[in-house]
Amino acid sequence: NLTSFSMYFTGVVPYIFLLLLVGCSARPLYPLPGRRNDRNKQPLQTFRAYNIAHRGSNGEIPEETAAAYMRAIEEGTDFIETDILASKDGALICFHDVILDDMTDIANHKEFADRKRTYDVQGVNTTGYFLVDFTLEELKLLRVKQRYPFRDQQYNGEFSIITFEEFISIALDAHRVVGIYPEIKNPVLINQHVKWPGGKKFEDKFVETLKKYGYNGSYMSKQWLKQPAFIQSFAPTSLIYISNQTDLPKIFLIDDTNTPTQDTNQSYWEITSDGYLDYIKEYVVGIGPWKDTIVPCSNNYLQTPSDLIARAHARNLQVHPYTFRNENQFVHFNFSEDPYNEFDYWINKMGVDGLFTDFTGSLHHYQEWTNPFASGEKEATRLLNKIELMLSKFKYT
């Protein structure tokens, strides 16, 4: 009737006008940084799988650097992911490896030649320049380089190691809501070699930093949506330890089938059993398995998928597998060397809830082309297209 149509028209016209402002080409409603006023940040998208920038956009720029994280934000990531370690003087640092040898120019710093040590790292005697033997001031003297020789080397030596607080500021300074996804990295080693006043542990300092910058709230709460964060770790005891300190959502990372947990020495088969998933779901909102443990691979071809995703989802646990990389050597033959085919398989067939990727721009483009709108936005878009079609009939009259 006329009244119902009037109410519908009144409600939908402002939204149509907004769509017209952003363009009639079905451009996404999540603009890149710089397009919006900080007081009106575009919210985190929650209607499709999360795009998680693994150590930043490290397929293009050396990992864990400010430049890699800012590039990921420009490319449309939902979360920037980082590994947190600690320096000798207790500063929390964004760095993946416990040694500096492979990812920095430490070999060029003769003043540190006597710092090489051998420590037990998860049961393996490891020799190198350990991050825990350097102060923050010393670490800032080093420069980071690209991990893989087949990736762009032009940025080697340009960027420094950054702190956890610097990482957080990058997310908070973005002109749209960008989540963070920090990992409590190698907590056993860190707590052995780094000491904080008052008997505090690595995990305590980690949570304190998050609280300092306003990160709190359970998954999908109003506070969480304002400043989204997932806390991840391969160490179940760390996740359980901090459960009384913060209600931020936690993700239990799962390594390959041959690697036991670093703190409890449990096997892959134990921590993915029904009994353990029933136990850990009281502390975490999801799991982050290596993708080749979910779908085994032989001779670079996928084998029969396991039922891990189904069993996790049955317990209301999210699944965020790692790591998606564009290069041919990382894309299984089933996908015709096309990473978009791989994204499609994992999102639409396997039904994962998020993906860790080295190429956040590629995943963002894929999702914008295949699933750019939430359900309500789809209806408005259809209506807009009809209006465009009607207007086009009068274009040349």
Side-chain angles (χ1 to χ4, degrees):
N1 58 42
L2 185 59
T3 302
S4 298
F5 177 80
S6 177
M7 291 176 63
Y8 174 79
F9 190 78
T10 301
V12 80
V13 163
Y15 191 70
I16 293 173
F17 180 69
L18 174 61
L19 287 172
L20 288 169
L21 284 178
V22 300
C24 298
S25 60
R27 182 66 190 94
L29 299 180
Y30 300 95
L32 299 181
R35 301 278 187 90
R36 296 271 179 175
N37 188 291
D38 282 344
R39 292 172 295 179
N40 299 297
K41 286 188 175 184
Q42 283 288 22
L44 176 75
Q45 71 79 19
T46 57
F47 67 90
R48 63 190 183 193
Y50 293 127
N51 181 331
I52 306 162
H54 183 240
R55 309 178 202 169
S57 188
N58 81 86
E60 302 173 60
I61 297 175
E63 65 186 46
E64 314 264 20
T65 61
Y69 292 121
M70 289 188 283
R71 175 66 64 83
I73 292 172
E74 291 171 359
E75 292 178 334
T77 192
D78 300 316
F79 288 85
I80 51 176
E81 186 265 354
T82 188
D83 305 279
I84 304 300
L85 294 167
S87 65
K88 181 179 180 179
D89 51 346
L92 300 190
I93 303 297
C94 297
F95 204 75
H96 178 270
D97 299 357
V98 294
I99 58 174
L100 299 161
D101 303 50
D102 296 332
M103 296 306 301
T104 73
D105 61 352
I106 185 71
N108 298 333
H109 290 262
K110 303 305 179 185
E111 69 273 28
F112 300 138
D114 63 345
R115 299 286 183 91
K116 186 168 285 191
R117 301 285 188 274
T118 298
Y119 294 142
D120 181 298
V121 181
Q122 294 179 235
V124 178
N125 282 336
T126 304
T127 300
Y129 294 97
F130 282 82
L131 189 143
V132 294
D133 290 325
F134 293 79
T135 65
L136 174 59
E137 183 179 7
E138 291 171 333
L139 291 171
K140 283 290 188 180
L141 298 175
L142 307 179
R143 292 296 177 267
V144 181
K145 58 186 178 181
Q146 177 59 254
R147 179 177 295 273
Y148 295 110
F150 47 81
R151 290 182 176 172
D152 193 348
Q153 304 293 308
Q154 68 171 311
Y155 301 109
N156 289 349
E158 290 195 17
F159 308 119
S160 65
I161 294 172
I162 65 172
T163 66
F164 191 13
E165 292 186 89
E166 289 171 325
F167 167 84
I168 288 172
S169 72
I170 292 170
L172 295 180
D173 288 344
H175 283 50
R176 58 184 174 84
V177 174
V178 174
I180 62 172
Y181 208 126
E183 178 183 344
I184 302 172
K185 191 77 175 177
N186 292 98
V188 174
L189 178 80
I190 297 299
N191 281 317
Q192 285 175 343
H193 295 277
V194 182
K195 304 301 177 184
W196 286 272
K200 290 186 176 180
K201 299 172 58 176
F202 177 34
E203 293 88 342
D204 298 319
K205 301 300 295 184
F206 181 94
V207 174
E208 282 180 11
T209 304
L210 291 170
K211 288 182 175 179
K212 176 181 176 181
Y213 289 92
Y215 285 95
N216 57 73
S218 58
Y219 182 60
M220 296 301 290
S221 66
K222 182 177 180 180
Q223 179 60 36
W224 186 86
L225 288 169
K226 181 180 179 182
Q227 289 184 209
F230 286 106
I231 297 173
Q232 57 174 332
S233 184
F234 285 99
T237 54
S238 291
L239 296 172
I240 294 168
Y241 177 79
I242 66 171
S243 63
N244 293 324
Q245 300 181 31
T246 177
D247 57 355
L248 285 170
K250 302 158 191 72
I251 301 290
F252 177 38
L253 299 175
I254 299 175
D255 215 321
D256 68 45
T257 56
N258 298 315
T259 305
T261 54
Q262 59 183 264
D263 54 340
T264 58
N265 199 37
Q266 292 172 284
S267 72
Y268 170 87
W269 307 109
E270 181 179 349
I271 60 176
T272 59
S273 68
D274 286 344
Y276 195 79
L277 291 178
D278 287 335
Y279 165 73
I280 202 67
K281 74 177 183 181
E282 301 301 320
Y283 303 98
V284 303
V285 301
I287 57 175
W290 180 36
K291 60 187 178 72
D292 281 6
T293 65
I294 302 174
V295 184
C297 175
S298 178
N299 297 320
N300 207 31
Y301 283 97
L302 299 182
Q303 305 300 298
T304 303
S306 74
D307 62 352
L308 180 58
I309 292 177
R311 292 190 294 111
H313 283 169
R315 291 163 174 80
N316 201 30
L317 290 170
Q318 294 198 28
V319 181
H320 300 171
Y322 65 91
T323 301
F324 292 83
R325 299 179 168 109
N326 284 13
E327 290 93 354
N328 289 345
Q329 65 217 75
F330 298 118
V331 180
H332 300 315
F333 291 150
N334 307 69
F335 305 121
S336 304
E337 299 183 339
D338 185 347
Y340 282 26
N341 287 339
E342 185 177 30
F343 296 150
D344 181 71
Y345 173 83
W346 283 94
I347 292 172
N348 295 315
K349 183 173 182 178
M350 298 303 295
V352 298
D353 308 286
L355 301 86
F356 290 85
T357 176
D358 287 1
F359 293 88
T360 190
S362 294
L363 177 54
H364 182 71
H365 286 315
Y366 166 79
Q367 291 199 281
E368 289 298 296
W369 292 341
T370 59
N371 189 22
F373 296 116
S375 57
E377 294 169 340
K378 290 178 182 176
E379 295 303 319
T381 303
R382 291 192 188 99
L383 182 57
L384 178 60
N385 289 337
K386 290 180 180 179
I387 293 173
E388 287 183 289
L389 181 61
M390 288 187 292
L391 290 175
S392 68
K393 294 179 180 179
F394 301 98
K395 185 174 182 180
Y396 299 106
T397 59

